[in-house]
Amino acid sequence: MYQAKLQEENGEDFGKTTCTSEVQAAFILSSFVTFFSGLIILFLCRFLWRIIKKGGNFQGTGFVLDFLSSGSFHSSTLRRLYFYGVFRDRIEMLLSAQTFVGQVLVILVFVLSIGSLIIYFINSTDPVGSCSSYEDKTIPVDLIFNAFFSFYFGLRFLAADDKIKFWLEMNSIVDIFTIPPTFISYYLKSNWLGLRFLRALRLLELPRILQILQAIKTSNSVKFSKLLSIALSTWFTAAGFIHLVENFGDPWLKGRNSQNITYFESIYLVMATTSTVGFGDVVAKTSLGRTFIMFFTLGSLILFANYIPEMVELFANKRKYTSSYEVVKGKKFIVVCGNITVDSVTAFLRNFLRHRSGEINTEIVFLGEVTPSLELETIFKCYLAYTTFISGSALKWEDLRRVAVESAEACLIIANPLCSDLHAEDTSNIMRVLSIKNYYPKTRVIIQILQSHNKDFLPKIPSWNWSTGDNIICFAELKLGFMAQGCLVPGLCTFLTSLFVEQNKKISPKQTWQKYFLNSLKNKILTQRLSDDFAGMSFPEVSRLCFVKMNLMLIAIEYKSLFQSGYCGLILNPPAQIKLRKNTLGFFIAESPKEVKRALFYCATCHSDVYNPELIEKCDCKSKSRHHLSERYLNAEINLLSIMIVPIANSKYKFLLRHAVPCPLWTLPGNTEQESDKLDGSGMFHWCKAVPLEMVTLKRSEKSKHDFRNHIIACIFGDAHTALMGLRNFVMPLRASNYTRQELKDIVFLGSLDYMQKEWRFLRNFPHIYILPGSALYPADLQALNIEKCSMCAILAPSSKPSSSQTLVDTETIMATLNIGSLRIVPSTEKHSTKEVCLLDFRDSCGKSKYRRIPTLTELKNPSNIHFIEQIGGLEGNFTGTSLHLSASFSTGAVFSGNFLDSLLATAFYNYHVLELLQMLVTGGVSSQMELQLDKEKFTGLTDSYSTYSSGRMRCKLGLLSLEQTILSDIQPRTTFGQLFCGSLDCLGILCVGLYRMIDEEAHNPEHKRGVFVITRPANDLKLLPSDLVFCAIPFSTVCEKRGGDSSQPIHKVQNIVSRESSMNANLSYPTAVDPVSESTPQKLFSSVQSMEVKPSFFSETQQATPTLSFRLSTDTKANEIVKENEKENMKETLKENAP
């Protein structure tokens, strides 16, 4: 070794001596001998122990076993084992850093390891072939460190359960190859570098040490520290090996190919190799070094390609997503938090941005608790102009400050409807609301809630304010409400859903019915302030004028009470007695906001002779004040409210209603006490005394005792451990007070009795509810409920369960639908009522099919599972490969999915009035505005409050009427939908909004499986078919059955809440079969038709419809006559002003 001579000349001055080959071999062999000898000893011990254990199974094997089994040896062994076990437990506690002493020990070992590595770096500046004498002060220090490492190694060895596994651990290998050479150096009084570079592998413990010190807390910081420790330990260890072999040379060549290379140059070579960039200035010359570089290059590709970019990304994202949002003056923004995932963000952006496409000036700030994935980041980049993501939690004020919640337009909280624990999801979102309101009470909050009983906590927050736009979107309430409306009126859930579904795909319809259905999907619920020229006019007049002149369908208005200060409610199809005021908000079914602007721009002076809706634009006319009408409609309203107002003894009905224990307040007169209608304290729902569960539980063997007809079957899936679905929300619309007690249908729940016991405390005060323990998967249980005679069978989806695939979440509902769909029912020859006959004929395909299907309504949690229902339905002609809302099952009203409820979050932000209307239509009449008014009455100490028309039972109900077998048959002419709309509104006060039409293409249904589909807001000139059914908003006291000629059928009177001025409308005309408004050939707005004899019985029939009170309002006959005369004069002036 020629370099040894040079080192010998310079080494003596600095306490360095030349290391001979024998000394170097002693240092290296000490480590290898220790490792392999220890491993062999451990294997021999385990082998001998197994032989001894096997020998215990044989008798007479020798004196050794006899001695081991003797009593003295056995007792002493047990004592030793006990103390050894206690000692091991203490050591394990110490090494696991669960105690303060253990934490200090672990941190001390790591710090000393780093100190030993630093000593190696210092000594590496000397030539590898030299040995350091004990004159070097670092050698004794390193000896003390290794003595402590030996003690720590012994503790770990005693605590290890598997000694061989412990011997092969990374930390054990580091100690075995670094500690023995230290003791060899003490014996030889000189030290050599050797394998001390392996101490760099102790850097892998860095993340654990930082967590013990609580220096890192987030998942990203932990991940970053792990990646950093892996990279550093790999580089330092590889550089130490290169430094050793290159300076020492190949052993078989006796160092002739060695080169003098420093440790820093070794690190440089390793870094260049890791980055796959070789400059060639420093290279490995030994065979061992080159072989190592070959394998290290393969590993460095993985290290550099994965770990380094991920470290950079974590470091960059931490700075990127932890910054604060910069508020720009004049720029609006909202904060969105909660369930921030790829699916939820995609759905929210699609719904939020479609409301005002091209006019979005509101930025969306997403506050997420988890760093976004690459897929989510891609979405944010696609919508970079509208979105900003900031990492944080709404539960922390510091994060709320960073997103500037106090300056945001609103804070929207997204829930996860597919989570396994609905209650935990709701409570976490409620805590977010509480945190936001505590941070800044004036922040507007819109939250999604999954379970209905959890929404009761939100109004209890002191800063919660309905009037400032705070709103709740309850999934269970709306979803089950839609299902209930679909049970009351077939196809109604599809009708209402289509008003909120956005269809962006371009579909080419192949059949006529598909064309009608696709066109109806373009219609939406829109709001618009009405022109002041409508002030003083009744709703039927305004609705008719909007329909004929503007091609708009006005269905409801916002009504502000004169008697209840601040109360504002929505009225669907209000009666003629309610006069519109200035700045009244109207609700339309239309295609675009541009169309409904016509209702605002309408001027009776400028547009009286305009017949083209597109020409109705904003005019410069200044004579739009109609103050002379204010006194007129005030008198009419006083007259209406003097009769319609009913007192409520308890203004706290909202809380009673939600807990299903309302107190009976008023009864409607009947033949007997049992037959009278008992309503809850609000007057919104039918009520009965609490019924024990045992009294409504049915037995399959007692089918003859309960002969159900025209009933509703609800199939549920769940057990005692299933989360509550909130079946109260399903029952409430079915027990709404605007249906008489005779119109109520029996509700039979088919499911687990254990589950129904949990739900029953919310249902026990609703009449005519029954339970049959069983399952919809068994035909015998279905037949026990007379399913062949039911009006609708609803299959409700159970609460979400953890599943490996989202496709399997609807397994039970799909199987139940398959089971019910396989039943074939022979049409009954029994006599039915007019309404039942109408619907049965409609479903039986006009008698052409031998069997009829059971009418079902299936709920799907995953809309993509619709193809399973399509196969069961047997109806061809659907849009292949499209979404649920373009399927034949949805168009016919046989399936429902609540996934569209996500769009209501954006709807509530832009226009909460639309959400109010939806809640009123779906839930049976309860709305947040009504709850707000009752809250005010509660805190102002009112003992007696009054229920106005909008909150009492005298409200419209949605129904499905036949053109031939109901009172609509008396409307003439009714060739087109426009004629039917005007005629029914003028003569009957019934508002027609859609059609339920039969699919007539029998070529596509060879087995006569003829279905029906929904048409939302048909065109004015759409020709009607005799088999059409009409979706209508029907006044409460209107009897819809046609007066029959059969003497066995009772003669019914049309009870319509209209004033005498409605009889004058009977002389008005309806649109002809062609477009009533033609741009080229102006026509008269009205044409003559046959008048229908309607007996207005507002005052005479009021006594039958008004609840019996403990006192009655006194009315003055002369005052009533004056009001009637005023109404006649109002009508005459209105006709003159609107005449073409």
Side-chain angles (χ1 to χ4, degrees), residues 51-81:
I51 291 177
I52 293 174
K53 289 181 64 177
K54 289 182 179 179
N57 298 328
F58 301 95
Q59 296 181 356
T61 55
F63 71 92
V64 177
L65 292 178
D66 293 339
F67 173 74
L68 293 176
S69 60
S70 61
S72 59
F73 182 82
H74 185 68
S75 59
S76 61
T77 303
L78 288 179
R79 270 195 306 272
R80 284 196 218 101
L81 290 176

Side-chain angles (χ1 to χ4, degrees), residues 909-1083:
F909 171 73
Y910 282 114
N911 191 349
Y912 67 90
H913 295 289
V914 175
L915 181 61
E916 290 284 335
L917 179 65
L918 178 64
Q919 291 174 336
M920 184 190 71
L921 294 177
V922 169
T923 61
V926 178
S927 64
S928 60
Q929 290 292 339
M930 182 185 300
E931 295 175 352
L932 173 63
Q933 176 63 21
L934 291 173
D935 283 339
K936 290 181 179 180
E937 294 174 356
K938 171 187 175 183
F939 292 110
T940 52
L942 295 179
T943 57
D944 294 313
S945 59
Y946 291 89
S947 174
T948 64
Y949 177 87
S950 60
S951 61
R953 78 176 303 189
M954 310 295 290
R955 61 191 187 276
C956 283
K957 54 189 174 185
L958 297 175
L960 195 61
L961 302 182
S962 170
L963 289 176
E964 301 294 336
Q965 301 179 7
T966 61
I967 55 177
L968 295 183
S969 61
D970 295 328
I971 303 297
Q972 295 297 333
R974 50 182 175 83
T975 306
T976 64
F977 178 79
Q979 294 173 344
L980 176 67
F981 179 89
C982 296
S984 61
L985 188 62
D986 292 340
C987 298
L988 307 173
I990 295 177
L991 183 67
C992 302
V993 294
L995 295 177
Y996 202 42
R997 174 165 289 188
M998 184 178 295
I999 299 176
D1000 289 327
E1001 285 82 356
E1002 297 185 14
H1004 299 279
N1005 297 278
E1007 299 180 4
H1008 301 291
K1009 298 175 181 177
R1010 304 172 67 190
V1012 288
F1013 67 100
V1014 174
I1015 303 179
T1016 306
R1017 203 276 181 241
N1020 296 11
D1021 58 351
L1022 178 66
K1023 292 186 178 181
L1024 300 177
L1025 302 178
S1027 60
D1028 285 344
L1029 300 182
V1030 186
F1031 290 104
C1032 302
I1034 308 169
F1036 169 76
S1037 59
T1038 300
V1039 178
C1040 299
E1041 293 187 7
K1042 182 181 179 181
R1043 182 183 302 179
D1046 189 1
S1047 59
S1048 61
Q1049 296 291 338
I1051 299 177
H1052 300 279
K1053 284 193 301 183
V1054 179
Q1055 302 176 3
N1056 192 18
I1057 308 180
V1058 294
S1059 63
R1060 294 188 180 274
E1061 67 182 9
S1062 299
S1063 61
M1064 301 177 60
N1065 292 339
N1067 297 325
L1068 302 179
S1069 63
Y1070 320 106
T1072 57
V1074 297
D1075 190 353
V1077 180
S1078 175
E1079 182 176 355
S1080 58
T1081 57
Q1083 302 178 18

Side-chain angles (χ1 to χ4, degrees), residues 638-670:
I638 294 174
N639 175 46
L640 171 70
L641 296 178
S642 64
I643 300 174
M644 297 302 301
I645 291 177
V646 291
I648 295 181
N650 187 359
S651 63
K652 300 180 181 179
Y653 83 91
K654 176 185 66 171
F655 306 100
L656 298 176
L657 176 64
R658 285 184 174 173
H659 294 283
V661 288
C663 58
L665 180 61
W666 6 295
T667 60
L668 298 182

